[in-house]
């Protein structure tokens, strides 16, 4: 995974450069901009962003008015000083001084061939159009002993032109984004509380956030595929029976309705069911972006949930981005990073570490990023939490984020002792 997001003067974010990895985490105080960065990543990974334009608007309106931006409620953050740039292996989007530019990037034979490995109807269309573009060349070289088509790496400008010309037919969107993005909002806990009423709320159009409605629809569809799901870190089991959601817990013969369970179970269950459903899709890489996965969970349950997310959401080419307020999440991430570090030294250490922390939960430090986000703080308010040498979250950062005030506690001890 190779993605970078640069944001200046956008909402609470004054100046931020974020490199997304296989696992990326944002932590910081409320209102600092964690969700803003996560939502921008979700926007730029969403195919609808590249396909909604009808060609009739100005460049700046084209960027600001796409429906996908409204879904994430970030349109209002644009101003004359806003600068945004998102770059992946396949696309580069830039917005500065009300100029919107979206283009395919990449050069060389290897990059082009990687694009063509993505077999979809959209790519077939691109192949066909490109073949027609090359027909004149092939006819000129026929019989000359030089009948091989030009190196595909030499046709990058042609590919750019073709895709940009086909945006209205959604070819560009399918070609540009090879991953499917799924955003899990913090408001998901609301879904369990209105388990049997949300369909009517949608019907009556009472103004629920679109992002929550999207999640509700996705969860509803996923229940058809996931009728049972063990939730080991909560010692519970999800059951979907006759259109209703239940939770089976130990020492109780009859299951509880989901809406009758503890708030932590209500918050986490719809998310897990949806993620279980999506993780079974091995045909396309997926990006999972989750707001505050730890909602209403005890620290040990947070750790168990994080293990589950790493296992389900990072297999294959999938990636995971989370926003969090929990220092327990950071501490446990450090544990999973260190497990990889130690277990990778040799086979003996690998086996010993795996007994303590199963290998399926390990995180490669080279595929991990963590950022403290507090937009109003200092010049930028966004900084990496990683020690560049160890590639782990530094202990000083852990202490700072945890709010540990050792000096103040020592002062209280001194007062108590009469010093």
């Amino acid at each position: 995974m190779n993605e970078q997001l640069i944001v200046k003067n956008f909402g609470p974010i004054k100046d931020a450069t974020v490199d997304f990895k296989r696992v990326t985490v944002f932590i910081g105080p409320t209102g600092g901009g964690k969700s803003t960065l996560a939502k921008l990543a979700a926007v730029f990974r969403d195919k609808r962003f590249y396909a909604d334009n009808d060609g009739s608007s100005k460049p700046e309106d084209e960027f600001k008015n796409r429906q996908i931006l409204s879904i994430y409620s970030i349109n209002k953050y644009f101003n004359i000083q806003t600068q945004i740039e998102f770059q992946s292996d396949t696309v580069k989007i830039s917005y500065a001084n009300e100029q919107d530019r979206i283009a395919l990037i990449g050069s060389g034979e290897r990059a082009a061939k990687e694009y063509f490995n993505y077999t979809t109807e959209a790519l077939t269309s691109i192949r066909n159009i490109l073949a027609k573009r090359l027909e004149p060349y092939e006819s000129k070289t026929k019989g000359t002993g030089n009948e091989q088509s030009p190196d595909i790496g030499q046709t990058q400008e042609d590919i750019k032109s073709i895709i940009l010309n086909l945006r209205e037919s959604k070819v560009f969107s399918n070609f540009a984004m090879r991953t499917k993005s799924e955003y899990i909002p913090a408001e998901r806990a609301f879904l369990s509380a209105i388990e049997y009423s949300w369909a009517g709320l949608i019907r009556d159009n009472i103004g629920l956030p679109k992002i929550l409605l999207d999640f509700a629809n996705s969860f509803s569809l996923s229940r058809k595929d996931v009728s049972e799901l063990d939730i080991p870190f909560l010692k519970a089991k999800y059951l979907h029976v006759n259109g209703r959601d239940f939770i089976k817990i130990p020492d109780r013969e009859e299951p509880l309705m989901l809406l009758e369970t503890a708030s932590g179970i209500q918050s986490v269950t719809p998310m897990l069911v949806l993620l279980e459903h999506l993780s079974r899709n091995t045909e396309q890489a997926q990006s999972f972006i989750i707001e505050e996965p730890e909602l209403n969970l005890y620290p040990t349950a947070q750790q168990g949930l994080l293990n589950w997310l790493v296992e389900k959401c990072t297999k294959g080419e999938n990636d995971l981005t989370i926003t969090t307020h929990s220092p327990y999440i950071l501490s446990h991430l450090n544990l999973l990073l260190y497990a990889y570090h130690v277990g990778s030294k040799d086979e003996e250490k690998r086996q010993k570490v795996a007994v303590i922390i199963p290998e399926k939960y390990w995180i490669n430090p080279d595929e991990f990023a963590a950022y403290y986000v507090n937009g109003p703080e200092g010049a930028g308010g966004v900084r990496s939490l990683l020690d560049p040498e160890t590639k782990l979250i530094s202990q000083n950062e852990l202490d700072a984020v945890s709010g540990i005030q050792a000096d103040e506690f020592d002062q209280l001890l001194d007062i108590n002792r009469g010093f």
Side-chain angles (χ1 to χ4, degrees), residues 45 47 90 111-127 170-180 281 283-286:
R45 293 170 182 173
K47 293 181 179 182
T90 52
K113 286 184 176 179
E114 286 179 355
Y115 297 153
F116 279 83
N117 284 335
Y118 185 49
T119 55
T120 65
E121 286 186 12
L123 199 52
T124 300
S125 299
I126 293 174
R127 280 202 189 99
K170 302 184 186 264
V171 171
F172 180 77
S173 63
N174 289 326
F175 187 73
M177 300 313 296
R178 292 177 289 180
T179 62
K180 182 180 182 297
N281 177 10
E283 296 180 358
Q284 184 179 22
Q286 300 184 80

Side-chain angles (χ1 to χ4, degrees), residues 278-299:
L278 294 173
S279 68
R280 294 177 183 180
N281 177 10
T282 59
E283 296 180 358
Q284 184 179 22
Q286 300 184 80
S287 289
F288 300 100
I289 303 177
I290 306 174
E291 281 191 302
E292 301 177 41
E294 75 278 0
L295 285 176
N296 304 314
L297 293 180
Y298 191 69

Side-chain angles (χ1 to χ4, degrees), residues 198-238:
W198 71 266
L201 295 176
I202 295 173
R203 179 199 62 212
D204 296 336
N205 191 26
I206 67 167
L208 289 175
K210 180 67 164 58
I211 194 171
L212 178 59
L213 296 181
D214 283 350
F215 176 76
N217 284 323
S218 297
F219 171 57
S220 180
L221 292 173
S222 68
R223 294 184 300 180
K224 298 177 182 179
D225 177 47
V226 183
S227 59
E228 295 186 8
L229 181 65
D230 285 321
I231 310 176
F233 58 89
L234 294 178
K235 298 180 180 179
K237 183 175 185 177
Y238 165 78

Side-chain angles (χ1 to χ4, degrees), residues 174-402:
N174 289 326
F175 187 73
M177 300 313 296
R178 292 177 289 180
T179 62
K180 182 180 182 297
S181 180
E182 189 70 34
Y183 195 93
I184 312 293
E187 297 90 340
R188 61 187 176 273
F190 179 65
L191 185 61
S192 297
I194 59 166
E195 181 178 1
Y196 307 113
S197 305
W198 71 266
L201 295 176
I202 295 173
R203 179 199 62 212
D204 296 336
N205 191 26
I206 67 167
L208 289 175
K210 180 67 164 58
I211 194 171
L212 178 59
L213 296 181
D214 283 350
F215 176 76
N217 284 323
S218 297
F219 171 57
S220 180
L221 292 173
S222 68
R223 294 184 300 180
K224 298 177 182 179
D225 177 47
V226 183
S227 59
E228 295 186 8
L229 181 65
D230 285 321
I231 310 176
F233 58 89
L234 294 178
K235 298 180 180 179
K237 183 175 185 177
Y238 165 78
L239 302 170
H240 183 65
V241 182
N242 297 326
R244 307 181 72 179
D245 298 317
F246 296 92
I247 295 294
K248 185 73 173 63
I249 59 176
D251 303 323
R252 181 184 172 92
E253 185 174 346
E254 292 295 322
L256 294 167
M257 288 190 296
L258 178 59
L259 59 80
E260 298 174 326
T261 59
S263 58
I265 295 177
Q266 291 187 40
S267 173
V268 80
T269 298
M271 175 178 70
L272 296 186
V273 172
L274 175 57
L275 293 177
E276 173 65 24
H277 166 69
L278 294 173
S279 68
R280 294 177 183 180
N281 177 10
T282 59
E283 296 180 358
Q284 184 179 22
Q286 300 184 80
S287 289
F288 300 100
I289 303 177
I290 306 174
E291 281 191 302
E292 301 177 41
E294 75 278 0
L295 285 176
N296 304 314
L297 293 180
Y298 191 69
T300 53
Q302 294 181 32
Q303 295 162 5
L305 171 62
L306 187 58
N307 287 344
W308 195 96
L309 292 176
V310 169
E311 177 188 2
K312 296 289 183 178
C313 299
T314 66
K315 64 183 180 182
E317 296 299 315
N318 296 345
D319 59 78
L320 171 66
T321 299
I322 64 174
T323 69
T324 182
H325 290 127
S326 173
Y328 301 109
I329 292 287
L330 284 190
S331 295
H332 195 63
L333 284 167
N334 239 15
L335 184 66
L336 303 184
L337 290 164
Y338 197 56
Y340 182 99
H341 175 76
V342 177
S344 299
K345 290 183 178 296
D346 56 53
E347 180 60 23
E348 181 180 0
K349 285 185 172 61
R350 186 191 69 80
Q351 293 183 15
K352 289 182 177 180
V353 172
V355 172
I356 302 171
I357 301 174
E359 196 167 348
K360 60 186 178 181
Y361 304 139
W362 298 0
I363 300 175
N364 184 344
D366 291 329
E367 298 181 342
F368 177 77
Y371 296 92
Y372 176 83
V373 183
N374 185 13
E377 178 188 276
V382 178
R383 68 174 186 268
S384 173
L385 298 176
L386 300 184
D387 183 313
E389 294 185 5
T390 65
K391 297 183 180 180
L392 303 175
I393 301 172
S394 73
Q395 188 59 51
N396 287 339
E397 293 288 4
L398 279 175
D399 290 347
V401 170
S402 300

